[in-house]
């Protein structure tokens, strides 16, 4: 678990925006792409039609999330 946390910490992205005070605001469009690796051991199962969240370390899976940012 410590190795996985370290790997996720190393590939985590940090965003920062700054603007000098002497420049006036310009109308611009900013585009960006985001990616997030995921690792989860929580699955859902149904019991009488209701979802139940179950933590199962045997069925842990990797996943990902991607997106496009427009500002």
């Amino acid at each position: 678990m410590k190795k996985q946390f370290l790997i996720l910490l190393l590939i985590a992205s940090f965003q920062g925006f700054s603007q000098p005070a002497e420049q006036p605001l310009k109308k611009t469009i900013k585009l960006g792409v985001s990616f997030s690796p995921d690792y989860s051991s929580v699955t859902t199962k149904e019991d009488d039609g209701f979802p139940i969240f179950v933590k199962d370390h045997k069925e842990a899976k990797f996943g990902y999330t991607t997106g496009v940012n427009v500002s």
Side-chain angles (χ1 to χ4, degrees):
M1 185 69 178
K2 289 181 183 179
K3 283 185 180 181
Q4 295 162 348
F5 177 75
L6 180 62
I7 290 170
L8 290 176
L9 185 64
L10 290 174
I11 58 177
S13 66
F14 299 97
Q15 296 183 27
F17 299 100
S18 64
Q19 179 177 348
E22 63 271 0
Q23 290 183 354
L25 293 174
K26 297 179 182 178
K27 293 183 180 181
T28 59
I29 296 176
K30 299 175 186 177
L31 297 175
V33 178
S34 61
F35 174 79
S36 171
D38 304 322
Y39 181 76
S40 179
S41 61
V42 177
T43 58
T44 56
K45 296 182 181 180
E46 280 195 26
D47 184 22
D48 294 331
F50 295 101
I52 297 175
F53 297 99
V54 180
K55 193 169 190 176
D56 187 5
H57 293 289
K58 294 177 185 176
E59 295 185 23
K61 295 181 181 180
F62 285 99
Y64 62 91
T65 305
T66 58
V68 177
N69 307 317
V70 179
S71 174

